[in-house]
Amino acid sequence: MTTSTRTERRAARLDDPRFEHLRTLRARRLLVGALCALLVVETALFAVLDRAPVASVIGLGVLVLAFVVCLGTLKASTRGLEELPEEALDERQWQLRGEVYALSYRIGLGLLTAGLAVVAVWLAAGWPAPGEGVRTAAVVVPFHVALVLPTLVAAWSRRA
Amino acid sequence: MPPRKRSDEVELYNRLALLRAERGLSRQELADAVGVHYQTIGYLERGEYSPSATLALRLAAVFGLPMEAVFSLTPFRALSEQVYGTRPDPQETR
């Protein structure tokens, strides 16, 4: 009996033919839209954390579940292109992964630059310090964006 | 819409679909034989992905042919033209 490695099992799970209906360009782009919407909702929940802490925490709990389901579905829709190790991919997937990461880097750099510009304008204008929720969002949301950006770019690509 | 090609990218023609049909191989079987994902065979057949020399040689070896019989930088002549030496006239076949 052969025992498959953890990587092989993960690759097989992400390549499961039952997810084939999620691998159309339309389905993948809808999932990208859904995950972006979840990131917007997350930002909004953090922003109101000071005013409605209980509701925000409950909302964030539900959001985490939705986030995990949505991200898992997205990864299956791209067959784990952005997360699997080299030995689990062929040369075309490896090349596409390189393009996905290069584009993610450029998008991430643009978003971080925009974020820094907002902070610089805020400080230069001498506006009052934002609430704790906004400051938490300013740390957590970019972290989440950086985490899911390659998955979003891979799913958006026509060649994934 | 086909994926965008780089302006300096050379078109690579192939006979993979023809050879695969001739040998009765599925995409999955050919993919397993050369160690790629079956989706990649589709991309190769449609000319949307140019393989590395290693993969091209492996594919040619599966069919027992030299690489230039499977891949070419110029379009392949139609099989009928190669066998009979002339391109069939569509007017005559009507």
Side-chain angles (χ1 to χ4, degrees):
Chain A
M1 195 177 90
T2 56
T3 51
S4 57
T5 63
R6 188 173 174 274
T7 298
E8 285 167 345
R9 287 196 301 273
R10 179 74 176 149
R13 195 158 50 244
L14 290 171
D15 197 21
D16 194 326
R18 284 176 299 175
F19 298 123
E20 213 54 57
H21 64 286
L22 297 170
R23 295 187 178 121
T24 63
L25 187 62
R26 183 180 148 76
R28 281 189 278 119
R29 289 191 169 176
L30 281 173
L31 284 167
V32 168
L35 196 63
C36 289
L38 288 178
L39 287 168
V40 171
V41 172
E42 182 185 27
T43 311
L45 285 173
F46 274 123
V48 297
L49 193 63
D50 307 336
R51 280 169 279 168
V54 177
S56 296
V57 168
I58 291 169
L60 284 169
V62 174
L63 194 80
V64 167
L65 287 176
F67 204 84
V68 168
V69 171
C70 195
L71 188 60
T73 313
L74 258 174
K75 282 178 182 287
S77 80
T78 61
R79 298 185 171 90
L81 181 85
E82 68 291 340
E83 74 151 69
L84 289 174
E86 185 180 359
E87 64 267 21
L89 302 173
D90 69 28
E91 60 175 48
R92 186 193 68 87
Q93 292 169 314
W94 188 238
Q95 183 188 335
L96 181 57
R97 196 235 288 267
E99 290 168 17
V100 162
Y101 269 88
L103 185 55
S104 303
Y105 174 80
R106 289 203 295 274
I107 294 171
L109 188 66
L111 290 173
L112 281 177
T113 308
L116 273 179
V118 169
V119 172
V121 168
W122 198 292
L123 292 174
W127 291 332
E132 200 176 326
V134 174
R135 277 182 281 151
T136 309
V139 174
V140 177
V141 175
F143 172 73
H144 280 171
V145 170
L147 210 66
V148 300
L149 201 51
T151 308
L152 293 176
V153 173
W156 194 263
S157 165
R158 287 183 181 278
R159 293 194 287 154
Chain B
M1 196 176 81
R4 200 156 39 99
K5 283 207 164 200
R6 289 207 324 247
S7 56
D8 60 342
E9 203 172 329
V10 179
E11 190 83 38
L12 185 69
Y13 300 90
N14 72 80
R15 277 181 170 145
L16 283 175
L18 182 81
L19 290 166
R20 196 169 56 74
E22 189 186 277
R23 310 290 163 102
L25 282 172
S26 69
R27 280 184 179 163
Q28 185 66 65
E29 286 167 337
L30 180 57
D32 290 343
V34 294
V36 297
H37 194 272
Y38 73 88
Q39 201 189 12
T40 298
I41 299 296
Y43 275 91
L44 285 165
E45 287 182 355
R46 293 190 298 273
E48 292 174 11
Y49 174 67
S50 297
S52 67
T54 311
L55 179 55
L57 285 165
R58 273 187 190 166
L59 286 161
V62 169
F63 297 114
L65 294 167
M67 196 166 80
E68 57 271 26
V70 186
F71 295 97
S72 171
L73 291 173
T74 53
F76 285 104
R77 286 164 65 205
L79 207 59
S80 57
E81 195 186 345
Q82 275 185 274
V83 174
Y84 297 106
T86 53
R87 188 181 286 274
D89 185 358
Q91 298 291 332
E92 284 178 18
T93 54
R94 281 185 196 154

mmCIF file of all heavy atoms in Angstrom, chain A residues 15 20 23 79 89-93 95 158-160, chain B residues 1 3 35-40 43 49 51-52 55:
data_model
loop_
_atom_site.group_PDB
_atom_site.id
_atom_site.type_symbol
_atom_site.label_atom_id
_atom_site.label_comp_id
_atom_site.label_asym_id
_atom_site.label_seq_id
_atom_site.Cartn_x
_atom_site.Cartn_y
_atom_site.Cartn_z
ATOM 1 N N ASP A 15 -7.721 19.571 -6.340
ATOM 2 C CA ASP A 15 -7.979 19.238 -7.742
ATOM 3 C C ASP A 15 -9.219 18.354 -7.887
ATOM 4 O O ASP A 15 -9.476 17.784 -8.937
ATOM 5 C CB ASP A 15 -6.743 18.510 -8.315
ATOM 6 C CG ASP A 15 -6.734 18.500 -9.839
ATOM 7 O OD1 ASP A 15 -7.413 19.361 -10.441
ATOM 8 O OD2 ASP A 15 -6.070 17.624 -10.416
ATOM 9 N N GLU A 20 -15.395 21.210 -10.123
ATOM 10 C CA GLU A 20 -15.222 21.656 -11.519
ATOM 11 C C GLU A 20 -16.140 22.839 -11.870
ATOM 12 O O GLU A 20 -15.745 23.731 -12.613
ATOM 13 C CB GLU A 20 -15.479 20.491 -12.474
ATOM 14 C CG GLU A 20 -14.647 20.510 -13.751
ATOM 15 C CD GLU A 20 -13.137 20.613 -13.507
ATOM 16 O OE1 GLU A 20 -12.568 19.764 -12.817
ATOM 17 O OE2 GLU A 20 -12.550 21.572 -14.034
ATOM 18 N N ARG A 23 -14.736 26.233 -11.394
ATOM 19 C CA ARG A 23 -13.508 26.580 -12.119
ATOM 20 C C ARG A 23 -13.761 27.323 -13.415
ATOM 21 O O ARG A 23 -12.832 27.534 -14.191
ATOM 22 C CB ARG A 23 -12.678 25.309 -12.368
ATOM 23 C CG ARG A 23 -12.205 24.708 -11.063
ATOM 24 C CD ARG A 23 -11.257 23.553 -11.230
ATOM 25 N NE ARG A 23 -10.842 23.102 -9.913
ATOM 26 C CZ ARG A 23 -11.022 21.879 -9.436
ATOM 27 N NH1 ARG A 23 -11.580 20.962 -10.180
ATOM 28 N NH2 ARG A 23 -10.615 21.570 -8.221
ATOM 29 N N ARG A 79 -7.198 25.255 -8.151
ATOM 30 C CA ARG A 79 -6.443 24.009 -7.901
ATOM 31 C C ARG A 79 -5.207 24.260 -7.032
ATOM 32 O O ARG A 79 -4.189 23.586 -7.183
ATOM 33 C CB ARG A 79 -6.024 23.360 -9.218
ATOM 34 C CG ARG A 79 -7.178 22.944 -10.099
ATOM 35 C CD ARG A 79 -6.693 22.199 -11.313
ATOM 36 N NE ARG A 79 -7.787 21.614 -12.046
ATOM 37 C CZ ARG A 79 -8.458 22.218 -13.018
ATOM 38 N NH1 ARG A 79 -8.111 23.432 -13.375
ATOM 39 N NH2 ARG A 79 -9.446 21.627 -13.636
ATOM 40 N N LEU A 89 3.182 20.964 -8.850
ATOM 41 C CA LEU A 89 2.732 21.716 -10.023
ATOM 42 C C LEU A 89 3.541 21.305 -11.247
ATOM 43 O O LEU A 89 4.683 20.863 -11.118
ATOM 44 C CB LEU A 89 2.911 23.222 -9.795
ATOM 45 C CG LEU A 89 2.206 23.833 -8.585
ATOM 46 C CD1 LEU A 89 2.637 25.284 -8.430
ATOM 47 C CD2 LEU A 89 0.700 23.742 -8.713
ATOM 48 N N ASP A 90 2.960 21.482 -12.422
ATOM 49 C CA ASP A 90 3.745 21.234 -13.632
ATOM 50 C C ASP A 90 4.325 22.573 -14.122
ATOM 51 O O ASP A 90 4.080 23.628 -13.521
ATOM 52 C CB ASP A 90 2.923 20.502 -14.707
ATOM 53 C CG ASP A 90 1.810 21.348 -15.309
ATOM 54 O OD1 ASP A 90 1.946 22.586 -15.341
ATOM 55 O OD2 ASP A 90 0.801 20.781 -15.768
ATOM 56 N N GLU A 91 5.088 22.512 -15.208
ATOM 57 C CA GLU A 91 5.814 23.714 -15.634
ATOM 58 C C GLU A 91 4.894 24.867 -16.046
ATOM 59 O O GLU A 91 5.223 26.026 -15.824
ATOM 60 C CB GLU A 91 6.789 23.380 -16.767
ATOM 61 C CG GLU A 91 6.126 22.809 -18.011
ATOM 62 C CD GLU A 91 7.104 22.610 -19.154
ATOM 63 O OE1 GLU A 91 8.170 22.040 -18.947
ATOM 64 O OE2 GLU A 91 6.765 23.066 -20.271
ATOM 65 N N ARG A 92 3.720 24.552 -16.626
ATOM 66 C CA ARG A 92 2.792 25.620 -17.014
ATOM 67 C C ARG A 92 2.204 26.296 -15.768
ATOM 68 O O ARG A 92 2.137 27.527 -15.683
ATOM 69 C CB ARG A 92 1.654 25.061 -17.880
ATOM 70 C CG ARG A 92 0.732 26.129 -18.455
ATOM 71 C CD ARG A 92 -0.520 25.521 -19.029
ATOM 72 N NE ARG A 92 -1.353 24.954 -17.981
ATOM 73 C CZ ARG A 92 -2.256 25.639 -17.287
ATOM 74 N NH1 ARG A 92 -2.425 26.926 -17.508
ATOM 75 N NH2 ARG A 92 -2.967 25.050 -16.355
ATOM 76 N N GLN A 93 1.813 25.465 -14.795
ATOM 77 C CA GLN A 93 1.256 26.017 -13.557
ATOM 78 C C GLN A 93 2.324 26.828 -12.805
ATOM 79 O O GLN A 93 2.030 27.863 -12.226
ATOM 80 C CB GLN A 93 0.746 24.874 -12.669
ATOM 81 C CG GLN A 93 -0.459 24.160 -13.244
ATOM 82 C CD GLN A 93 -0.773 22.889 -12.485
ATOM 83 O OE1 GLN A 93 0.109 22.094 -12.177
ATOM 84 N NE2 GLN A 93 -2.044 22.682 -12.185
ATOM 85 N N GLN A 95 4.849 28.415 -14.149
ATOM 86 C CA GLN A 95 5.026 29.684 -14.875
ATOM 87 C C GLN A 95 3.882 30.650 -14.559
ATOM 88 O O GLN A 95 4.106 31.829 -14.295
ATOM 89 C CB GLN A 95 5.065 29.394 -16.379
ATOM 90 C CG GLN A 95 5.313 30.630 -17.228
ATOM 91 C CD GLN A 95 5.158 30.322 -18.712
ATOM 92 O OE1 GLN A 95 5.318 29.203 -19.144
ATOM 93 N NE2 GLN A 95 4.858 31.324 -19.484
ATOM 94 N N ARG A 158 -7.445 34.371 -16.605
ATOM 95 C CA ARG A 158 -8.136 33.493 -17.559
ATOM 96 C C ARG A 158 -7.454 32.136 -17.676
ATOM 97 O O ARG A 158 -8.055 31.168 -18.118
ATOM 98 C CB ARG A 158 -8.126 34.124 -18.957
ATOM 99 C CG ARG A 158 -9.049 35.296 -19.076
ATOM 100 C CD ARG A 158 -9.070 35.856 -20.485
ATOM 101 N NE ARG A 158 -9.957 36.990 -20.515
ATOM 102 C CZ ARG A 158 -11.268 36.905 -20.630
ATOM 103 N NH1 ARG A 158 -11.831 35.723 -20.754
ATOM 104 N NH2 ARG A 158 -12.020 37.986 -20.636
ATOM 105 N N ARG A 159 -6.188 32.084 -17.323
ATOM 106 C CA ARG A 159 -5.425 30.860 -17.573
ATOM 107 C C ARG A 159 -5.352 29.912 -16.389
ATOM 108 O O ARG A 159 -4.738 28.859 -16.480
ATOM 109 C CB ARG A 159 -4.007 31.241 -18.014
ATOM 110 C CG ARG A 159 -4.014 31.920 -19.382
ATOM 111 C CD ARG A 159 -2.649 31.984 -19.960
ATOM 112 N NE ARG A 159 -1.819 32.964 -19.289
ATOM 113 C CZ ARG A 159 -0.502 32.888 -19.245
ATOM 114 N NH1 ARG A 159 0.109 31.874 -19.791
ATOM 115 N NH2 ARG A 159 0.198 33.825 -18.656
ATOM 116 N N ALA A 160 -5.955 30.302 -15.245
ATOM 117 C CA ALA A 160 -5.874 29.439 -14.047
ATOM 118 C C ALA A 160 -6.770 28.212 -14.213
ATOM 119 O O ALA A 160 -7.757 28.261 -14.904
ATOM 120 C CB ALA A 160 -6.284 30.227 -12.823
ATOM 121 N N MET B 1 -11.988 34.768 -25.404
ATOM 122 C CA MET B 1 -10.771 35.471 -25.830
ATOM 123 C C MET B 1 -9.541 34.672 -25.397
ATOM 124 O O MET B 1 -9.441 34.297 -24.231
ATOM 125 C CB MET B 1 -10.743 36.857 -25.189
ATOM 126 C CG MET B 1 -9.755 37.803 -25.828
ATOM 127 S SD MET B 1 -9.851 39.452 -25.125
ATOM 128 C CE MET B 1 -8.887 39.281 -23.652
ATOM 129 N N PRO B 3 -5.682 33.856 -24.213
ATOM 130 C CA PRO B 3 -4.806 34.650 -23.350
ATOM 131 C C PRO B 3 -3.858 35.515 -24.160
ATOM 132 O O PRO B 3 -3.492 35.167 -25.279
ATOM 133 C CB PRO B 3 -4.040 33.601 -22.548
ATOM 134 C CG PRO B 3 -4.257 32.321 -23.228
ATOM 135 C CD PRO B 3 -5.481 32.431 -24.037
ATOM 136 N N GLY B 35 3.772 13.517 -17.025
ATOM 137 C CA GLY B 35 3.864 14.135 -15.697
ATOM 138 C C GLY B 35 3.424 15.586 -15.631
ATOM 139 O O GLY B 35 4.053 16.397 -14.952
ATOM 140 N N VAL B 36 2.338 15.891 -16.348
ATOM 141 C CA VAL B 36 1.763 17.241 -16.217
ATOM 142 C C VAL B 36 0.278 17.113 -15.884
ATOM 143 O O VAL B 36 -0.282 16.021 -15.930
ATOM 144 C CB VAL B 36 1.928 18.096 -17.506
ATOM 145 C CG1 VAL B 36 3.384 18.338 -17.805
ATOM 146 C CG2 VAL B 36 1.202 17.491 -18.690
ATOM 147 N N HIS B 37 -0.362 18.235 -15.585
ATOM 148 C CA HIS B 37 -1.788 18.252 -15.321
ATOM 149 C C HIS B 37 -2.528 18.115 -16.658
ATOM 150 O O HIS B 37 -2.053 18.642 -17.671
ATOM 151 C CB HIS B 37 -2.162 19.579 -14.637
ATOM 152 C CG HIS B 37 -3.526 19.552 -14.022
ATOM 153 N ND1 HIS B 37 -4.644 19.886 -14.733
ATOM 154 C CD2 HIS B 37 -3.948 19.209 -12.777
ATOM 155 C CE1 HIS B 37 -5.704 19.776 -13.943
ATOM 156 N NE2 HIS B 37 -5.297 19.363 -12.755
ATOM 157 N N TYR B 38 -3.680 17.409 -16.651
ATOM 158 C CA TYR B 38 -4.398 17.204 -17.921
ATOM 159 C C TYR B 38 -4.819 18.526 -18.575
ATOM 160 O O TYR B 38 -4.921 18.637 -19.794
ATOM 161 C CB TYR B 38 -5.617 16.291 -17.730
ATOM 162 C CG TYR B 38 -6.780 16.932 -17.006
ATOM 163 C CD1 TYR B 38 -7.749 17.639 -17.701
ATOM 164 C CD2 TYR B 38 -6.903 16.858 -15.625
ATOM 165 C CE1 TYR B 38 -8.809 18.234 -17.047
ATOM 166 C CE2 TYR B 38 -7.943 17.448 -14.959
ATOM 167 C CZ TYR B 38 -8.902 18.134 -15.678
ATOM 168 O OH TYR B 38 -9.932 18.753 -15.023
ATOM 169 N N GLN B 39 -5.027 19.544 -17.731
ATOM 170 C CA GLN B 39 -5.401 20.869 -18.230
ATOM 171 C C GLN B 39 -4.282 21.429 -19.123
ATOM 172 O O GLN B 39 -4.545 22.104 -20.112
ATOM 173 C CB GLN B 39 -5.608 21.772 -17.023
ATOM 174 C CG GLN B 39 -6.446 22.983 -17.273
ATOM 175 C CD GLN B 39 -6.403 23.930 -16.069
ATOM 176 O OE1 GLN B 39 -5.589 23.778 -15.159
ATOM 177 N NE2 GLN B 39 -7.275 24.901 -16.082
ATOM 178 N N THR B 40 -3.045 21.121 -18.759
ATOM 179 C CA THR B 40 -1.888 21.616 -19.515
ATOM 180 C C THR B 40 -1.863 21.021 -20.919
ATOM 181 O O THR B 40 -1.467 21.705 -21.877
ATOM 182 C CB THR B 40 -0.589 21.309 -18.739
ATOM 183 O OG1 THR B 40 -0.651 22.014 -17.493
ATOM 184 C CG2 THR B 40 0.657 21.724 -19.495
ATOM 185 N N TYR B 43 -4.055 23.163 -22.998
ATOM 186 C CA TYR B 43 -3.384 24.431 -23.328
ATOM 187 C C TYR B 43 -2.353 24.218 -24.433
ATOM 188 O O TYR B 43 -2.207 25.045 -25.326
ATOM 189 C CB TYR B 43 -2.718 25.024 -22.087
ATOM 190 C CG TYR B 43 -3.667 25.840 -21.253
ATOM 191 C CD1 TYR B 43 -4.399 25.276 -20.230
ATOM 192 C CD2 TYR B 43 -3.854 27.191 -21.515
ATOM 193 C CE1 TYR B 43 -5.291 26.018 -19.473
ATOM 194 C CE2 TYR B 43 -4.731 27.952 -20.769
ATOM 195 C CZ TYR B 43 -5.449 27.357 -19.743
ATOM 196 O OH TYR B 43 -6.335 28.107 -19.019
ATOM 197 N N TYR B 49 0.051 27.466 -24.817
ATOM 198 C CA TYR B 49 1.229 27.324 -23.959
ATOM 199 C C TYR B 49 2.334 26.630 -24.759
ATOM 200 O O TYR B 49 2.077 25.618 -25.411
ATOM 201 C CB TYR B 49 0.889 26.507 -22.704
ATOM 202 C CG TYR B 49 2.099 26.219 -21.866
ATOM 203 C CD1 TYR B 49 2.767 27.252 -21.206
ATOM 204 C CD2 TYR B 49 2.627 24.941 -21.776
ATOM 205 C CE1 TYR B 49 3.908 27.006 -20.478
ATOM 206 C CE2 TYR B 49 3.763 24.685 -21.038
ATOM 207 C CZ TYR B 49 4.401 25.716 -20.393
ATOM 208 O OH TYR B 49 5.532 25.480 -19.670
ATOM 209 N N PRO B 51 5.694 24.515 -24.641
ATOM 210 C CA PRO B 51 6.367 23.694 -23.632
ATOM 211 C C PRO B 51 7.865 23.943 -23.586
ATOM 212 O O PRO B 51 8.444 24.475 -24.535
ATOM 213 C CB PRO B 51 6.084 22.268 -24.109
ATOM 214 C CG PRO B 51 5.983 22.400 -25.592
ATOM 215 C CD PRO B 51 5.362 23.747 -25.848
ATOM 216 N N SER B 52 8.482 23.513 -22.488
ATOM 217 C CA SER B 52 9.944 23.534 -22.404
ATOM 218 C C SER B 52 10.465 22.442 -23.342
ATOM 219 O O SER B 52 9.704 21.557 -23.765
ATOM 220 C CB SER B 52 10.376 23.246 -20.974
ATOM 221 O OG SER B 52 10.045 21.912 -20.635
ATOM 222 N N LEU B 55 9.786 18.987 -21.847
ATOM 223 C CA LEU B 55 8.411 18.493 -21.994
ATOM 224 C C LEU B 55 8.122 18.123 -23.449
ATOM 225 O O LEU B 55 7.469 17.106 -23.727
ATOM 226 C CB LEU B 55 7.413 19.538 -21.470
ATOM 227 C CG LEU B 55 5.937 19.179 -21.577
ATOM 228 C CD1 LEU B 55 5.634 17.843 -20.891
ATOM 229 C CD2 LEU B 55 5.057 20.268 -20.969
#
